[in-house]
């Protein structure tokens, strides 16, 4: 069981990878910290400055549309985000989240979560407790094959273990 | 069990008789493609961290196309590392600065109907034009493929896109796909596979089908493909593929399509997507006359040989608006050479167009075609999100090569049908 507690950064629909990882900021792919400060700069310049470790990123429809660039979820993780919640995800972004060790939860009612709400997320059951609103939200449970990757902390540690076993 | 082409290819790659939508299977990939942006510098470095060899050197193609043709030291560093990595890992198939990955992969004879292919780029779906199942993946996922040759897939539902009738002069595949974006939204077919079919698709050149497949990404689809036919065989054979099998890789007649979406090809008019999303597509009348600062033909979507020829058809014997910037970045070197040889580029240059080096460049706001502050442009590329092709204050419309060329003539969004 893994509980993540933090503040919600709640945004709307269609947040694309050009917004999350603007071109130019991700050219320095080997310097993720330097790129991450540009995350959402055109949409909410306050985000990268103020987000804290343990915070939770909440969006409505179609989070992560656009490019396959992994820097989009990686910037969120680097800035401290520990879980992303959305009503729906773009498929490559969704996979990228798990691969880099950032659990992604599909929450049909994510729009009812408000900016800065204090959330307690249980990634193993998909349950979100919104302490500010004193309310619960139910997410689709993370599929088993992805839970294995979540448990290892991402695809890299998962592969390390798997390859070591088969060696 | 009757299956769609997408299901047949996944089943073959998973080593099972058949698959059903929703099922999760592990597939062995027939081919993996990665470019300089997400390839050696990201997936390559991660593979080195894992310290394991590449699963099969015959099945990997590495391409440099994103950070080329410019003197930014950071971009040059990306290239330097890529070249070193290629050498130290004994990469057999390396395509260096020949064009955009989605174009030069099939041009290199690597793609054949029935293949299950992964590409480290969201527009990898372009390979579906040849009757493959080709999906885009991120860099860490690519690392997994490089190490194991395998990937998990949730079998998508297949949607049939039936483009009926005959497209009118001045209407192209780009208009079909923009219409779909406008009607269904940028995530209208999330996680689904699209089979483009119908008389208008059969009548299209394979390059035009590539435009349909390419922008399946702008509909949220996992894959977008056309079943292969004689045209597919002819072009792939010309590009050096051998043993192209079109007969096996067809959808069964009674296959299960979750739904059919029909587009009336006879009635379709040129489409324009307003800033800042492809889903803002509307018939050209909604935007005709909008003043522009520049026009761009480029990307994996809109500067193939056929695209350049469409532009030339409109521009022949005409001049673009004086002082207007019209730039063209061909999709690949060989297409550029062919367009040079047959006079297409000459027509474009005579009209006032400027040919830039081929590659991604303008599509991602790099190089001379980057939009300036507050500038308004029109382009044949696939995405117009805020901040992609220029600063936040710039605006970009998307349209077909015909419409982009017509707009260059007028310096404002223009209907190409008046020039044909
Ligand atoms: S041309 Fe644009 S969309 Fe196509 S691969 Fe290059 S960057 Fe991506």
């Amino acid at each position: 069981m893994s509980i993540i507690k933090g503040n919600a950064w709640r945004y709307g629909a269609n947040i694309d990878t050009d917004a999350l990882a603007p071109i130019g900021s991700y050219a320095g792919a080997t310097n993720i910290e330097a790129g991450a400060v540009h995350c959402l700069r055109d949409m909410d310049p306050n985000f990268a400055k103020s987000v804290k470790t343990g915070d939770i990123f909440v969006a409505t429809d179609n989070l992560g549309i656009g490019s396959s660039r992994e820097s989009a979820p990686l910037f969120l993780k680097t800035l401290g985000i520990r879980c992303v919640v959305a009503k729906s995800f773009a498929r490559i972004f969704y996979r990228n989240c798990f691969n880099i060790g950032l659990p992604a939860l599909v929450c049909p009612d994510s729009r009812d979560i408000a900016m800065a709400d204090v959330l307690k997320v249980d990634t193993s059951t998909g349950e979100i407790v919104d302490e500010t609103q004193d309310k619960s939200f139910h997410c689709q449970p993370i599929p088993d094959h992805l839970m294995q990757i979540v448990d290892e902390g991402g695809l890299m540690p998962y592969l390390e273990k798997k390859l070591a076993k088969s060696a | 069990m009757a299956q769609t082409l997408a299901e047949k290819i996944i089943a073959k790659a998973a080593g099972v008789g058949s698959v059903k939508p929703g099922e999760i299977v592990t597939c062995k990939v027939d081919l993996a493609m990665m470019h300089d942006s997400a390839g050696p510098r990201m997936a390559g470095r991660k593979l080195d961290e894992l310290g394991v060899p590449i699963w099969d050197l015959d099945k990997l193609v590495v391409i440099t196309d994103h950070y080329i043709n410019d003197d930014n030291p950071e971009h040059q560093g990306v290239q330097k590392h890529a070249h070193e990595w290629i050498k130290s890992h004994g990469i057999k198939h390396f395509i260096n600065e020949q064009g955009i990955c989605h174009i030069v992969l099939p041009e290199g004879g690597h793609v054949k109907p029935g293949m299950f292919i992964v590409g480290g780029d969201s527009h990898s779906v372009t390979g579906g034009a040849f009757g493959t199942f080709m999906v885009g993946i991120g860099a860490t996922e690519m690392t997994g493929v490089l190490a194991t040759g395998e990937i998990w897939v949730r079998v998508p539902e297949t949607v049939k896109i039936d483009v009926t009738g005959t497209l009118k002069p001045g209407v192209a595949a780009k208009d079909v796909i923009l219409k779909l974006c406008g009607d269904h939204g940028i995530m209208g077919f999330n996680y689904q596979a699209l089979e483009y079919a119908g008389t208008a698709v059969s009548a299209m050149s394979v390059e035009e089908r590539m435009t349909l497949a390419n922008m399946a990404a702008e509909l949220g689809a996992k894959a977008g493909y056309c079943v292969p036919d004689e045209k597919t065989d002819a072009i792939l054979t010309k590009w050096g593929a051998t043993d192209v099998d079109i007969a096996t890789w067809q959808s069964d007649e009674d296959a299960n399509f979750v739904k059919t979406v029909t587009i009336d090809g006879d009635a379709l008019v040129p489409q324009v997507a307003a800033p800042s999303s492809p889903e803002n597509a509307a018939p050209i009348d909604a935007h005709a006359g909008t003043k522009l600062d520049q026009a761009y033909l480029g990307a994996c979507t809109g500067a193939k040989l056929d695209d350049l020829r469409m532009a030339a058809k409109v521009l022949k014997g005409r001049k673009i608006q004086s002082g207007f910037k019209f730039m063209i970045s061909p999709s690949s070197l060989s297409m550029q050479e062919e367009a040079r040889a047959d006079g297409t580029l000459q027509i474009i240059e005579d009209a006032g167009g400027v040919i830039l080096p081929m590659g991604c460049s303008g599509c991602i706001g790099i190089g001379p075609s980057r939009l300036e502050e507050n500038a308004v442009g029109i382009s044949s590329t696939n995405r117009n999100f805020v901040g992609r092709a220029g600063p936040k204050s710039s605006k970009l419309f998307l349209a077909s090569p015909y419409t982009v060329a017509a707009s260059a003539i007028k310096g404002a969004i223009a209907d190409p049908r008046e020039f044909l």
Side-chain angles (χ1 to χ4, degrees):
Chain A
M1 194 177 78
S2 166
I3 302 283
I4 295 157
K5 190 172 170 183
N7 290 326
W9 290 84
R10 153 75 157 84
Y11 297 99
N14 300 327
I15 298 171
D16 61 71
T17 52
D18 285 308
L20 290 161
I23 304 269
S25 70
Y26 82 110
T30 39
N31 190 350
I32 296 296
E33 280 75 19
V37 301
H38 297 287
C39 185
L40 293 184
R41 67 180 176 204
D42 291 341
M43 217 177 84
D44 180 1
N46 187 38
F47 172 73
K49 275 186 244 147
S50 313
V51 60
K52 301 247 166 0
T53 299
D55 283 355
I56 292 146
F57 193 87
V58 185
T60 60
D61 294 289
N62 311 334
L63 178 58
I65 51 175
S67 146
S68 63
R69 74 187 73 132
E70 204 168 70
S71 34
L74 207 49
F75 284 0
L76 292 176
K77 190 182 173 196
T78 305
L79 292 170
I81 293 292
R82 288 296 168 263
C83 178
V84 290
V85 176
K87 186 170 173 218
S88 60
F89 290 90
R91 54 166 292 275
I92 303 181
F93 180 85
Y94 179 76
R95 294 179 74 115
N96 281 344
C97 284
F98 288 99
N99 290 334
I100 63 151
L102 183 64
L105 286 168
V106 178
C107 179
D109 300 316
S110 65
R111 67 180 63 250
D112 296 334
I113 297 171
M115 189 66 144
D117 279 2
V118 177
L119 304 182
K120 220 166 87 183
V121 183
D122 183 341
T123 52
S124 58
T125 62
E127 198 71 10
I128 300 178
V129 177
D130 186 326
E131 297 189 344
T132 310
Q133 296 190 40
D134 193 17
K135 218 169 137 179
S136 287
F137 293 95
H138 309 282
C139 307
Q140 293 169 13
I142 295 173
D144 289 345
H145 70 290
L146 285 177
M147 209 58 214
Q148 294 174 17
I149 297 175
V150 173
D151 288 342
E152 296 300 338
L155 186 64
M156 287 292 283
Y158 173 83
L159 281 173
E160 265 168 39
K161 212 164 160 182
K162 191 174 147 185
L163 294 168
K165 252 192 219 154
S166 61
Chain B
M1 201 177 79
Q3 296 195 96
T4 67
L5 176 56
E7 290 159 359
K8 280 188 192 175
I9 298 174
I10 294 171
K12 182 210 60 180
V16 296
S18 65
V19 292
K20 277 207 206 70
E23 216 180 304
I24 290 168
V25 291
T26 301
C27 290
K28 287 200 186 333
V29 314
D30 294 315
L31 186 69
M33 180 271 287
M34 59 186 198
H35 55 50
D36 51 339
S37 180
R41 79 166 172 162
M42 292 190 198
R45 283 194 167 97
K46 281 172 187 280
L47 185 77
D48 296 345
E49 275 172 41
L50 280 177
V52 295
I54 292 166
W55 101 104
D56 189 342
L57 286 168
D58 287 321
K59 293 182 177 163
L60 174 66
V61 181
V62 185
I63 294 162
T64 47
D65 62 354
H66 272 59
Y67 297 116
I68 60 172
N69 293 324
D70 76 289
D71 43 20
N72 178 322
E74 198 175 1
H75 299 171
Q76 289 173 343
V78 172
Q79 297 310 321
K80 187 165 173 279
H81 172 262
H83 283 261
E84 287 164 2
W85 192 88
I86 297 290
K87 233 175 143 187
S88 61
H89 291 72
I91 301 304
K92 285 192 188 167
H93 304 296
F94 175 39
I95 307 179
N96 186 32
E97 303 194 13
Q98 297 296 303
I100 301 167
C101 57
H102 310 302
I103 311 296
V104 298
L105 185 75
E107 277 187 338
H110 296 285
V111 173
K112 282 195 278 196
M115 285 179 123
F116 182 99
I117 314 177
V118 297
D121 186 279
S122 58
H123 289 101
S124 299
V125 282
T126 311
F130 308 96
T132 71
F133 188 86
M134 185 162 178
V135 295
I137 60 174
T140 303
E141 190 119 51
M142 183 59 84
T143 312
V145 171
L146 293 177
T148 67
E150 292 181 348
I151 189 166
W152 69 267
V153 179
R154 201 181 97 199
V155 180
E157 297 166 329
T158 310
V159 176
K160 185 178 264 185
I161 309 286
D162 188 14
V163 191
T164 60
T166 312
L167 300 185
K168 294 281 176 293
V171 180
K174 184 65 173 283
D175 299 303
V176 173
I177 196 75
L178 286 176
K179 168 90 175 132
L180 284 164
C181 292
D183 286 354
H184 299 273
I186 187 137
M187 295 284 279
F189 300 100
N190 202 11
Y191 303 122
Q192 294 175 313
L194 307 179
E195 178 169 317
Y196 300 104
T199 49
V201 175
S202 303
M204 277 177 195
S205 69
V206 177
E207 283 189 25
E208 277 283 83
R209 295 175 194 169
M210 289 170 82
T211 303
L212 296 181
N214 179 272
M215 285 187 67
E218 276 58 55
L219 291 164
K222 177 178 249 162
Y225 66 87
C226 303
V227 298
D229 60 9
E230 287 72 27
K231 288 183 200 170
T232 324
D233 187 2
I235 197 163
L236 290 179
T237 305
K238 174 183 152 197
W239 286 339
T242 48
D243 304 319
V244 175
D245 173 5
I246 58 172
T248 307
W249 301 109
Q250 301 287 326
S251 286
D252 291 327
E253 210 148 296
D254 45 352
N256 176 32
F257 291 95
V258 62
K259 65 177 167 187
T260 297
V261 170
T262 305
I263 292 208
D264 181 352
D266 293 316
L268 189 68
V269 301
Q271 305 282 309
V272 175
S276 297
S277 172
E279 73 181 10
N280 296 339
I284 183 131
D285 282 354
H287 301 291
T290 303
K291 279 260 162 253
L292 298 168
D293 299 298
Q294 71 176 61
Y296 179 64
L297 280 182
C300 47
T301 326
K304 304 182 289 319
L305 186 56
D306 279 0
D307 300 317
L308 300 173
R309 285 178 176 156
M310 282 184 230
K313 242 188 198 168
V314 169
L315 293 167
K316 191 161 184 152
R318 299 191 169 91
K319 290 265 181 246
I320 65 165
Q321 184 88 354
S322 84
F324 189 79
K325 287 207 289 191
F326 179 36
M327 289 158 288
I328 300 91
S329 217
S331 302
S332 80
L333 212 52
S334 70
M335 287 178 173
Q336 176 170 340
E337 278 163 11
E338 222 172 317
R340 177 61 70 200
D342 75 3
T344 300
L345 289 189
Q346 195 59 52
I347 294 172
I348 296 174
E349 284 172 331
D350 288 347
V354 176
I355 311 296
L356 302 178
M358 57 81 208
C360 295
S361 58
C363 176
I364 40 175
I366 296 173
S369 63
R370 181 178 171 80
L371 285 159
E372 289 170 11
E373 289 288 349
N374 300 308
V376 183
I378 192 164
S379 121
S380 63
T381 57
N382 47 37
R383 284 186 184 139
N384 56 347
F385 298 141
V386 173
R388 183 174 175 92
K392 186 183 170 186
S393 66
S394 63
K395 290 198 165 62
L396 185 63
F397 289 84
L398 301 177
S400 76
Y402 286 127
T403 304
V404 169
S407 303
I409 294 171
K410 289 213 170 168
I413 295 178
D415 192 327
R417 291 173 296 180
E418 56 181 284
F419 298 106
L420 290 167

